Amino acid sequence: MDHSDPRVEDSIPTDVLDGTETEQAAELVVEAAARKTMSASDLARLLVDAGRSITDEDDLLTLLQRVAGIAQEAIDGADYTGITIDLAGLTYTAVHTDERTLSIDTEQYEAGEGPCLHASRTRTSVMLDSEEAMAHWPAFASAARAQGVNSFLAAPLFSAELTLGSFNLYGRGFHAFDSLDAEILDLLTTAVSRAIGDFARFKSARDTAESIQRVLQSRAPIEQAKGVLMAMHGIDADAAFDVLRKQSQQTNVPVRVLAVDFLDKVTGGDGDSGT
């Protein structure tokens, strides 16, 4: 699907939806939310330690990808999942699980209203179906319903100093989400918000929004190249990135440049992937 809206065209897909590690993490989060067995701070450490510490925008986006996959796995009613950045006058989708997420986000951004924007701007969670949404945001709700989306669950992402955006789940069915789903999402967003707070402690809101956007623009071709390599060679996302990383080390060419060149060769149809 071709997205002409710049607010969604650089969003990167989560690539951990089918992994055993994601399934295990999702089970742990569900258990923690249902039985109150883990604090948000403990979960934050688990999520960050499972990858790398959050020292730059790439680390933050990797965490957002991972948590989006966990949320989609943990919450049965979630058919489409995304994370919206909404601060300092900039609004865009950073992470998504599939193309439909981007379509729904575009409808919301064009309407200038909807559950995800409301969650971000009020720092409150939103859970409702399309009938209720129609009363609040008729333009968005009508567009979403036309695309078969009838339930919404959105939770804000923020630290004490900074409101970053929202974590958004869309469901095809009516009343797809319940109170436990909201608790699971709240636990995840609280954990992620702690990491965001540490990352953005010495940044302004505008600097944070712009720096994440710049990294998204550089990572988009890398994610696309990974997807092509996964399909071509039957490998997972980590192995696909390793292919690019090793060639980068061997040639002393940045991974992004290699990814762009690889995609140009593939789409050019000359049969030489170079990778």
Side-chain angles (χ1 to χ4, degrees):
M1 183 182 299
D2 178 33
H3 297 285
S4 58
D5 191 328
R7 293 167 294 188
V8 300
E9 65 183 7
D10 293 320
S11 177
I12 55 176
T14 177
D15 50 22
V16 295
L17 289 178
D18 297 323
T20 301
E21 182 182 344
T22 299
E23 294 175 1
Q24 293 172 341
E27 291 174 0
L28 185 150
V29 173
V30 172
E31 181 77 5
R35 300 191 179 186
K36 307 295 191 294
T37 56
M38 179 180 294
S39 69
S41 59
D42 288 338
L43 181 59
R45 284 191 291 271
L46 181 148
L47 293 174
V48 173
D49 289 345
R52 298 176 295 175
S53 60
I54 306 302
T55 59
D56 58 26
E57 292 83 0
D58 273 306
D59 291 334
L60 177 59
L61 287 170
T62 296
L63 175 64
L64 295 183
Q65 283 180 293
R66 171 173 166 75
V67 176
I70 291 171
Q72 179 115 345
E73 181 71 30
I75 298 176
D76 290 338
D79 294 304
Y80 318 111
T81 301
I83 295 178
T84 291
I85 302 298
D86 180 40
L87 75 161
L90 295 177
T91 303
Y92 55 88
T93 303
V95 172
H96 66 279
T97 56
D98 54 48
E99 295 294 318
R100 182 57 59 87
T101 307
L102 302 181
S103 298
I104 300 301
D105 284 352
T106 296
E107 299 290 358
Q108 183 167 202
Y109 301 155
E110 290 183 350
E113 60 183 13
C116 310
L117 297 178
H118 184 80
S120 170
R121 294 167 184 177
T122 63
R123 291 192 173 191
T124 58
S125 294
V126 175
M127 181 172 66
L128 72 177
D129 65 17
S130 62
E131 292 292 341
E132 298 167 301
M134 194 71 72
H136 296 285
W137 313 292
F140 165 70
S142 295
R145 181 182 288 181
Q147 297 199 45
V149 173
N150 293 295
S151 291
F152 312 95
L153 177 59
L157 287 170
F158 63 92
S159 66
E161 301 84 10
L162 182 69
T163 297
L164 183 73
S166 58
F167 203 132
N168 317 314
L169 307 182
Y170 304 127
R172 292 191 299 265
F174 286 91
H175 307 292
F177 307 112
D178 58 25
S179 59
L180 178 58
D181 297 330
E183 289 180 18
I184 292 169
L185 189 59
D186 182 65
L187 188 60
L188 285 170
T189 53
T190 301
V192 173
S193 294
R194 290 176 184 270
I196 291 169
D198 291 339
F199 159 76
R201 190 176 305 280
F202 303 109
K203 292 176 176 284
S204 69
R206 186 77 185 187
D207 285 345
T208 300
E210 289 180 344
S211 63
I212 294 173
Q213 192 170 50
R214 282 195 299 270
V215 172
L216 279 175
Q217 291 167 351
S218 70
R219 279 186 59 166
I222 296 175
E223 297 298 329
Q224 293 167 16
K226 283 166 55 180
V228 174
L229 287 168
M230 290 165 66
M232 288 174 61
H233 302 298
I235 55 180
D236 64 18
D238 288 339
F241 184 74
D242 281 342
V243 171
L244 295 170
R245 180 177 54 81
K246 288 176 181 176
Q247 186 168 348
S248 174
Q249 293 170 344
Q250 292 168 359
T251 61
N252 200 30
V253 176
V255 170
R256 181 183 182 279
V257 175
L258 283 174
V260 171
D261 182 57
F262 170 61
L263 291 170
D264 285 344
K265 290 178 179 178
V266 170
T267 57
D270 63 3
D272 177 13
S273 73
T275 304

